Amino acid sequence: GQNIDQPTEMTATEGAIVQINCTYQTSGFNGLFWYQQHAGEAPTFLSYNVLDGLEEKGRFSSFLSRSKGYSYLLLKELQMKDSASYLCAVRDRGSARQLTFGSGTQLTVLP
Amino acid sequence: GAVVSQHPSRVICKSGTSVKIECRSLDFQATTMFWYRQFPKQSLMLMATSNEGSKATYEQGVEKDKFLINHASLTLSTLTVTSAHPEDSSFYICSAKHSSQNYNEQFFGPGTRLTVL
């Protein structure tokens, strides 16, 4: 099975940088995903890490350390529209490649 | 590309009735689709994995006779909530995995808000 932990809430200021951490314990690992979800909407894909290291995509970056069971999502130059829930999800090795989601981190960006 | 639609987006029904939710991959083929349920301020919980042409695989605690899943084609999966009760009120989201190995992520539909009175 999978066990995924991430902070419940975070607050940051517009223009700042925020790091959202995610730790996981897994019986099988085949990649870690970050999704953004605004209230009442479906999740949208942000990033995917399967190897150790940093993946950068615009204002968003994601880091993975498989040996530590640890990932973070880094958001730079925060904008008000970045206020949302950020979901960490781990994919297993099974044929279906299911995703197990963490409880999500609700980020509030203040002016 | 890689768009997933859901219909209806919102449904209100009386207790005891059945509700069907459709999930379609609009511009790609999806051999596997996933059905999630999300209660307010909680994360997505996988209900079942739907494979085209075969029976769905249900997660522990999900009643297969209550949540009927049909994946009749490579672009359509349906979830039917039978004899719905107020506790079934939730946000139901489907996702589809692209048949090509070049795609890693699942593509999510916009979700269906079910309210059972």
Side-chain angles (χ1 to χ4, degrees):
Chain A
Q2 318 277 17
N3 186 31
I4 301 171
D5 291 309
Q6 51 181 131
T8 304
E9 295 178 324
M10 296 185 72
T11 303
T13 304
E14 192 175 15
I17 299 173
V18 70
Q19 177 174 313
I20 303 174
N21 296 323
C22 172
T23 58
Y24 63 91
Q25 295 88 42
T26 177
S27 57
F29 178 83
N30 195 18
L32 186 142
F33 296 77
W34 284 96
Y35 283 86
Q36 179 192 63
Q37 186 181 26
H38 286 97
E41 299 180 11
T44 55
F45 171 77
L46 290 178
S47 69
Y48 167 71
N49 295 71
V50 68
L51 300 176
D52 292 348
L54 188 68
E55 294 283 341
E56 297 185 80
K57 189 185 294 185
R59 293 190 298 116
F60 294 179
S61 303
S62 58
F63 172 82
L64 175 67
S65 169
R66 288 171 296 170
S67 62
K68 296 182 179 178
Y70 168 69
S71 173
Y72 68 71
L73 178 69
L74 192 72
L75 293 79
K76 303 176 185 176
E77 301 170 15
L78 281 174
Q79 302 174 10
M80 299 297 289
K81 67 178 182 179
D82 297 329
S83 292
S85 181
Y86 290 86
L87 306 173
C88 172
V90 173
R91 185 169 67 184
D92 67 22
R93 287 189 174 274
S95 59
R97 299 196 169 188
Q98 296 171 347
L99 290 180
T100 301
F101 283 84
S103 56
T105 298
Q106 183 64 47
L107 173 66
T108 301
V109 180
L110 302 174
Chain B
V3 177
V4 176
S5 70
Q6 272 185 248
H7 178 79
S9 59
R10 187 180 295 268
V11 58
I12 300 173
C13 68
K14 292 182 178 180
S15 184
T17 60
S18 294
V19 174
K20 179 186 282 189
I21 303 170
E22 293 186 348
C23 177
R24 292 182 185 273
S25 56
L26 298 185
D27 51 1
F28 67 101
Q29 293 185 335
T31 52
T32 304
M33 290 184 173
F34 302 90
W35 286 97
Y36 297 86
R37 181 167 51 184
Q38 186 176 35
F39 292 105
K41 297 188 177 182
Q42 295 186 24
S43 192
L44 283 76
M45 297 299 295
L46 180 66
M47 299 175 65
T49 302
S50 169
N51 295 295
E52 186 266 338
S54 63
K55 291 184 178 180
T57 302
Y58 290 81
E59 294 301 299
Q60 191 172 8
V62 178
E63 301 175 58
K64 63 179 182 180
D65 294 331
K66 180 170 179 63
F67 298 98
L68 302 178
I69 292 174
N70 185 292
H71 194 156
S73 76
L74 287 172
T75 59
L76 173 64
S77 176
T78 61
L79 168 69
T80 301
V81 183
T82 63
S83 186
H85 291 282
E87 57 265 30
D88 298 324
S89 298
S90 187
F91 192 47
Y92 291 85
I93 307 175
C94 73
S95 71
K97 189 170 78 71
H98 202 293
S99 299
S100 169
Q101 294 298 318
N102 293 327
Y103 291 83
N104 287 302
E105 72 266 34
Q106 294 179 16
F107 299 96
F108 285 85
T112 297
R113 175 76 58 191
L114 171 64
T115 303
V116 184
L117 302 176

